[in-house]
């Protein structure tokens, strides 16, 4: 009797040809299918949830006439015109652009010239191109010849500084 056969009989299992090959093939197939299933699950995974964002509010861009250190390049005289200088401050964390400047109220002389009424001063800004102002900065904007003084202005207006209220159109 063959010893290997006796050994198999002794273990209580009959010998089956190709069992090892079938077991190896089945194991390989399971590993491949498991790998493909894992890859498919990895690439097709989906999830649900929600997100949110807050839209910031643009802060007011301010306009000042003259501040210490700013100087005028032209003077206003009866029958003439002069530049209007605006100091524009952008407190926003992003740049803005000034698209237009328009009059917004009556023009007044400074307190040291109470007899300068009516002033005879008008404000007519020329068409302007958009002026960019970087974040958290201020710039001087000169409007050439935007202020005019009538020849009928009173003598009490000599040497006066005029306040011209304006409105800016500012966009992000």
């Amino acid at each position: 009797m063959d010893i290997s056969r006796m050994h198999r009989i002794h273990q209580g299992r009959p010998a089956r040809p190709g069992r090892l090959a079938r077991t190896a093939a089945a194991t390989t197939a399971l590993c491949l299918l498991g790998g493909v299933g894992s890859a498919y699950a990895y690439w097709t995974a989906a999830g649900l949830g929600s997100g949110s964002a807050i839209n910031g509010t643009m802060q007011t861009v301010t306009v000042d006439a003259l501040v210490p250190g700013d100087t005028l390049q032209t003077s206003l005289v009866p029958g003439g015109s002069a530049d209007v200088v605006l100091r524009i401050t952008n407190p926003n964390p992003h740049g803005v652009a000034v698209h237009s400047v328009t009059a917004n109220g009556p023009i007044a002389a400074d307190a040291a010239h109470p007899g300068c009424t009516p002033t005879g001063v008008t404000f007519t800004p020329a068409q302007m191109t958009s002026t960019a102002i970087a974040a958290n900065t201020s710039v001087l904007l000169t409007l050439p010849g935007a202020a005019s003084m009538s020849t009928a202005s009173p003598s009490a207006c000599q040497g006066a500084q005029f306040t011209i209220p304006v409105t800016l159109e500012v966009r992000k």
Side-chain angles (χ1 to χ4, degrees), residues 75 111 149 163:
S75 295
M149 182 179 239
T163 300

Side-chain angles (χ1 to χ4, degrees), residues 102-116:
T102 55
N104 184 22
I107 298 171
D110 60 51
H113 295 83
C116 184

Side-chain angles (χ1 to χ4, degrees), residues 37-139:
S38 297
Y40 177 77
Y42 175 78
W43 291 108
T44 62
L48 297 173
S50 63
S52 65
I54 296 174
N55 187 13
T57 302
M58 190 161 125
Q59 297 178 40
T60 302
V61 174
T62 59
V63 180
D64 293 308
L66 294 175
V67 296
D70 295 344
T71 56
L72 291 171
Q73 299 300 315
T74 58
S75 295
L76 191 56
V77 295
S81 63
D83 299 345
V84 173
V85 179
L86 307 173
R87 175 163 294 281
I88 304 171
T89 302
N90 175 17
N92 293 290
H94 52 79
V96 297
V98 177
H99 287 271
S100 68
V101 179
T102 55
N104 184 22
I107 298 171
D110 60 51
H113 295 83
C116 184
T117 308
T119 63
V121 177
T122 57
F123 175 69
T124 311
Q127 285 289 88
M128 62 179 285
T129 58
S130 177
T131 301
I133 304 172
N136 299 307
T137 61
S138 74
V139 297

